[in-house]
Short mmCIF file of all heavy atoms in Angstrom, two decimals:
data_model
loop_
_atom_site.label_atom_id
_atom_site.label_comp_id
_atom_site.label_asym_id
_atom_site.label_seq_id
_atom_site.Cartn_x
_atom_site.Cartn_y
_atom_site.Cartn_z
N GLN A 72 -89.55 -55.71 -36.66
CA GLN A 72 -89.69 -57.17 -36.63
C GLN A 72 -88.40 -57.89 -36.20
O GLN A 72 -88.40 -58.72 -35.30
CB GLN A 72 -90.13 -57.66 -38.02
CG GLN A 72 -90.00 -59.14 -38.26
CD GLN A 72 -91.01 -59.93 -37.48
OE1 GLN A 72 -92.20 -59.84 -37.71
NE2 GLN A 72 -90.55 -60.73 -36.52
N GLY A 73 -87.29 -57.57 -36.89
CA GLY A 73 -86.03 -58.28 -36.63
C GLY A 73 -85.56 -58.09 -35.19
O GLY A 73 -84.95 -58.99 -34.60
N HIS A 74 -85.84 -56.93 -34.62
CA HIS A 74 -85.43 -56.63 -33.25
C HIS A 74 -86.31 -57.38 -32.24
O HIS A 74 -85.82 -57.99 -31.30
CB HIS A 74 -85.53 -55.12 -33.00
CG HIS A 74 -84.72 -54.30 -33.95
ND1 HIS A 74 -83.55 -53.69 -33.58
CD2 HIS A 74 -84.91 -54.01 -35.27
CE1 HIS A 74 -83.05 -53.04 -34.63
NE2 HIS A 74 -83.86 -53.23 -35.66
N HIS A 76 -88.10 -60.02 -32.71
CA HIS A 76 -87.89 -61.47 -32.81
C HIS A 76 -86.72 -61.93 -31.93
O HIS A 76 -86.84 -62.86 -31.14
CB HIS A 76 -87.64 -61.83 -34.28
CG HIS A 76 -87.28 -63.25 -34.50
ND1 HIS A 76 -88.06 -64.29 -34.06
CD2 HIS A 76 -86.20 -63.82 -35.11
CE1 HIS A 76 -87.48 -65.45 -34.39
NE2 HIS A 76 -86.36 -65.18 -35.02
N GLN A 77 -85.58 -61.25 -32.06
CA GLN A 77 -84.41 -61.68 -31.29
C GLN A 77 -84.62 -61.48 -29.80
O GLN A 77 -84.26 -62.32 -28.98
CB GLN A 77 -83.17 -60.87 -31.71
CG GLN A 77 -82.71 -61.20 -33.11
CD GLN A 77 -81.37 -60.55 -33.44
OE1 GLN A 77 -80.48 -60.43 -32.61
NE2 GLN A 77 -81.21 -60.12 -34.67
N THR A 202 -78.95 -55.97 -32.36
CA THR A 202 -79.44 -57.13 -33.13
C THR A 202 -78.69 -57.32 -34.46
O THR A 202 -79.20 -57.97 -35.37
CB THR A 202 -80.94 -56.98 -33.40
OG1 THR A 202 -81.14 -55.78 -34.16
CG2 THR A 202 -81.74 -56.92 -32.13
N ILE A 203 -77.49 -56.77 -34.57
CA ILE A 203 -76.72 -56.89 -35.81
C ILE A 203 -75.51 -57.81 -35.57
O ILE A 203 -75.23 -58.19 -34.44
CB ILE A 203 -76.27 -55.52 -36.33
CG1 ILE A 203 -75.46 -54.77 -35.26
CG2 ILE A 203 -77.47 -54.71 -36.78
CD1 ILE A 203 -74.97 -53.39 -35.69
N TYR A 350 -85.66 -70.10 -52.16
CA TYR A 350 -86.53 -69.33 -51.28
C TYR A 350 -86.13 -67.86 -51.39
O TYR A 350 -84.95 -67.51 -51.35
CB TYR A 350 -86.38 -69.83 -49.84
CG TYR A 350 -87.08 -68.99 -48.80
CD1 TYR A 350 -88.45 -68.77 -48.88
CD2 TYR A 350 -86.39 -68.40 -47.74
CE1 TYR A 350 -89.11 -67.99 -47.92
CE2 TYR A 350 -87.03 -67.64 -46.78
CZ TYR A 350 -88.39 -67.43 -46.88
OH TYR A 350 -89.04 -66.65 -45.95
N SER A 352 -86.80 -63.96 -49.91
CA SER A 352 -87.47 -63.09 -48.94
C SER A 352 -86.55 -61.92 -48.63
O SER A 352 -85.33 -62.09 -48.51
CB SER A 352 -87.78 -63.86 -47.66
OG SER A 352 -88.11 -62.96 -46.64
N PHE A 353 -87.14 -60.75 -48.48
CA PHE A 353 -86.34 -59.54 -48.20
C PHE A 353 -86.65 -58.96 -46.83
O PHE A 353 -86.54 -57.76 -46.61
CB PHE A 353 -86.56 -58.51 -49.32
CG PHE A 353 -86.15 -59.03 -50.67
CD1 PHE A 353 -87.09 -59.46 -51.59
CD2 PHE A 353 -84.81 -59.14 -51.00
CE1 PHE A 353 -86.70 -59.98 -52.82
CE2 PHE A 353 -84.41 -59.66 -52.22
CZ PHE A 353 -85.36 -60.08 -53.14
N GLY A 354 -87.06 -59.83 -45.90
CA GLY A 354 -87.21 -59.40 -44.51
C GLY A 354 -88.39 -58.48 -44.30
O GLY A 354 -89.36 -58.50 -45.07
N SER A 355 -88.29 -57.66 -43.27
CA SER A 355 -89.48 -56.91 -42.85
C SER A 355 -89.49 -55.43 -43.23
O SER A 355 -90.51 -54.77 -43.12
CB SER A 355 -89.64 -57.03 -41.34
OG SER A 355 -88.56 -56.39 -40.69
N ILE A 356 -88.35 -54.88 -43.66
CA ILE A 356 -88.36 -53.44 -43.94
C ILE A 356 -87.92 -53.04 -45.35
O ILE A 356 -88.18 -51.92 -45.78
CB ILE A 356 -87.51 -52.64 -42.90
CG1 ILE A 356 -86.10 -53.22 -42.81
CG2 ILE A 356 -88.17 -52.63 -41.55
CD1 ILE A 356 -85.18 -52.41 -41.91
N VAL A 381 -91.60 -64.61 -50.79
CA VAL A 381 -92.39 -63.89 -49.79
C VAL A 381 -92.64 -62.48 -50.31
O VAL A 381 -91.70 -61.70 -50.49
CB VAL A 381 -91.67 -63.79 -48.42
CG1 VAL A 381 -92.48 -62.93 -47.45
CG2 VAL A 381 -91.44 -65.18 -47.84
N TRP A 406 -96.34 -63.94 -45.98
CA TRP A 406 -95.40 -64.10 -44.86
C TRP A 406 -95.24 -65.59 -44.62
O TRP A 406 -96.24 -66.31 -44.49
CB TRP A 406 -95.92 -63.37 -43.61
CG TRP A 406 -94.90 -63.22 -42.52
CD1 TRP A 406 -94.86 -63.89 -41.33
CD2 TRP A 406 -93.78 -62.31 -42.49
NE1 TRP A 406 -93.79 -63.48 -40.58
CE2 TRP A 406 -93.11 -62.50 -41.26
CE3 TRP A 406 -93.26 -61.37 -43.38
CZ2 TRP A 406 -91.97 -61.79 -40.90
CZ3 TRP A 406 -92.13 -60.66 -43.02
CH2 TRP A 406 -91.50 -60.86 -41.80
N ALA A 407 -94.02 -66.07 -44.59
CA ALA A 407 -93.78 -67.51 -44.48
C ALA A 407 -93.26 -67.88 -43.09
O ALA A 407 -92.69 -67.04 -42.41
CB ALA A 407 -92.73 -67.91 -45.52
N GLN A 409 -90.48 -68.77 -41.84
CA GLN A 409 -89.15 -68.82 -42.48
C GLN A 409 -88.20 -69.89 -41.93
O GLN A 409 -87.51 -70.55 -42.69
CB GLN A 409 -88.49 -67.43 -42.41
CG GLN A 409 -87.12 -67.40 -43.09
CD GLN A 409 -86.65 -66.02 -43.40
OE1 GLN A 409 -87.32 -65.30 -44.13
NE2 GLN A 409 -85.51 -65.63 -42.87
N GLU A 410 -88.16 -70.01 -40.62
CA GLU A 410 -87.24 -71.00 -40.05
C GLU A 410 -87.57 -72.39 -40.56
O GLU A 410 -86.68 -73.17 -40.90
CB GLU A 410 -87.39 -70.98 -38.53
CG GLU A 410 -86.19 -70.42 -37.81
CD GLU A 410 -86.39 -70.54 -36.32
OE1 GLU A 410 -86.11 -71.62 -35.75
OE2 GLU A 410 -86.85 -69.55 -35.73
N HIS A 424 -82.03 -60.41 -48.41
CA HIS A 424 -81.53 -59.02 -48.31
C HIS A 424 -80.38 -58.94 -47.30
O HIS A 424 -79.89 -57.86 -47.00
CB HIS A 424 -82.67 -58.10 -47.87
CG HIS A 424 -83.12 -58.36 -46.45
ND1 HIS A 424 -83.42 -59.62 -45.98
CD2 HIS A 424 -83.31 -57.52 -45.40
CE1 HIS A 424 -83.78 -59.55 -44.71
NE2 HIS A 424 -83.72 -58.29 -44.33
N GLY A 426 -80.42 -59.55 -44.01
CA GLY A 426 -80.73 -59.14 -42.63
C GLY A 426 -80.04 -60.15 -41.71
O GLY A 426 -79.81 -61.30 -42.10
N TRP A 427 -79.71 -59.75 -40.51
CA TRP A 427 -78.92 -60.63 -39.65
C TRP A 427 -79.71 -61.87 -39.22
O TRP A 427 -79.17 -62.97 -39.17
CB TRP A 427 -78.37 -59.86 -38.46
CG TRP A 427 -77.40 -60.63 -37.61
CD1 TRP A 427 -77.42 -60.75 -36.25
CD2 TRP A 427 -76.24 -61.38 -38.04
NE1 TRP A 427 -76.37 -61.52 -35.81
CE2 TRP A 427 -75.63 -61.92 -36.89
CE3 TRP A 427 -75.67 -61.66 -39.29
CZ2 TRP A 427 -74.48 -62.72 -36.95
CZ3 TRP A 427 -74.52 -62.45 -39.35
CH2 TRP A 427 -73.94 -62.97 -38.19
N ASN A 428 -81.01 -61.70 -38.94
CA ASN A 428 -81.80 -62.89 -38.57
C ASN A 428 -81.83 -63.89 -39.71
O ASN A 428 -81.61 -65.08 -39.52
CB ASN A 428 -83.26 -62.50 -38.25
CG ASN A 428 -83.37 -61.72 -36.97
OD1 ASN A 428 -83.21 -62.26 -35.89
ND2 ASN A 428 -83.65 -60.43 -37.08
N SER A 429 -82.14 -63.39 -40.90
CA SER A 429 -82.23 -64.28 -42.06
C SER A 429 -80.90 -64.99 -42.30
O SER A 429 -80.86 -66.18 -42.62
CB SER A 429 -82.63 -63.49 -43.31
OG SER A 429 -83.91 -62.95 -43.13
N GLU A 432 -80.39 -67.66 -39.67
CA GLU A 432 -81.30 -68.78 -39.89
C GLU A 432 -80.85 -69.63 -41.08
O GLU A 432 -80.91 -70.85 -41.06
CB GLU A 432 -82.73 -68.25 -40.11
CG GLU A 432 -83.34 -67.68 -38.81
CD GLU A 432 -84.48 -66.68 -39.06
OE1 GLU A 432 -84.99 -66.61 -40.19
OE2 GLU A 432 -84.86 -65.97 -38.10
N ASP A 448 -77.20 -52.60 -41.93
CA ASP A 448 -76.14 -53.57 -41.70
C ASP A 448 -75.95 -54.53 -42.87
O ASP A 448 -74.96 -55.27 -42.93
CB ASP A 448 -76.46 -54.38 -40.43
CG ASP A 448 -77.86 -54.98 -40.43
OD1 ASP A 448 -78.71 -54.51 -41.20
OD2 ASP A 448 -78.10 -55.92 -39.66
N GLN A 449 -76.91 -54.58 -43.78
CA GLN A 449 -76.94 -55.64 -44.80
C GLN A 449 -75.73 -55.65 -45.75
O GLN A 449 -75.23 -56.74 -46.10
CB GLN A 449 -78.27 -55.57 -45.57
CG GLN A 449 -79.47 -55.74 -44.63
CD GLN A 449 -80.71 -55.01 -45.09
OE1 GLN A 449 -80.83 -54.66 -46.25
NE2 GLN A 449 -81.65 -54.75 -44.17
N ILE A 452 -72.98 -57.49 -43.95
CA ILE A 452 -73.26 -58.93 -43.78
C ILE A 452 -73.04 -59.68 -45.10
O ILE A 452 -72.42 -60.75 -45.14
CB ILE A 452 -74.69 -59.14 -43.24
CG1 ILE A 452 -74.80 -58.57 -41.82
CG2 ILE A 452 -75.06 -60.63 -43.23
CD1 ILE A 452 -76.20 -58.48 -41.27
C1 UDX B 828 -83.39 -55.54 -40.12
C2 UDX B 828 -81.86 -55.75 -40.28
O1 UDX B 828 -81.37 -55.80 -41.53
C3 UDX B 828 -81.39 -56.80 -39.32
O2 UDX B 828 -80.06 -57.19 -39.58
C4 UDX B 828 -81.53 -56.20 -37.98
O3 UDX B 828 -81.11 -57.11 -36.99
C5 UDX B 828 -82.99 -55.86 -37.75
O4 UDX B 828 -83.49 -55.01 -38.79
P1 UDX B 828 -85.11 -57.29 -41.24
O5 UDX B 828 -85.04 -56.51 -42.47
O6 UDX B 828 -86.44 -57.57 -40.71
O7 UDX B 828 -84.21 -56.69 -40.10
O8 UDX B 828 -84.40 -58.71 -41.58
P2 UDX B 828 -83.98 -59.92 -40.71
O9 UDX B 828 -83.03 -59.54 -39.65
O10 UDX B 828 -83.53 -60.94 -41.65
O11 UDX B 828 -85.31 -60.40 -39.98
C6 UDX B 828 -86.45 -60.87 -40.62
C7 UDX B 828 -87.10 -61.90 -39.72
O12 UDX B 828 -88.42 -62.11 -40.20
C8 UDX B 828 -86.40 -63.24 -39.70
O13 UDX B 828 -86.34 -63.74 -38.41
C9 UDX B 828 -87.28 -64.11 -40.55
O14 UDX B 828 -87.32 -65.48 -40.17
C10 UDX B 828 -88.63 -63.48 -40.36
N1 UDX B 828 -89.48 -63.72 -41.55
C11 UDX B 828 -89.24 -63.06 -42.71
C12 UDX B 828 -90.50 -64.63 -41.42
O15 UDX B 828 -90.71 -65.25 -40.38
N2 UDX B 828 -91.29 -64.81 -42.52
C13 UDX B 828 -91.11 -64.17 -43.68
O16 UDX B 828 -91.89 -64.41 -44.60
C14 UDX B 828 -90.04 -63.25 -43.79
#
Side-chain angles (χ1 to χ4, degrees):
Q72 166 71 66
H74 302 254
H76 174 55
Q77 291 188 37
T202 60
I203 56 180
Y350 172 58
S352 166
F353 299 103
S355 66
I356 53 175
V381 175
W406 193 253
Q409 182 162 301
E410 249 184 84
H424 68 311
W427 187 228
N428 290 289
S429 296
E432 290 158 13
D448 51 341
Q449 301 150 20
I452 294 169

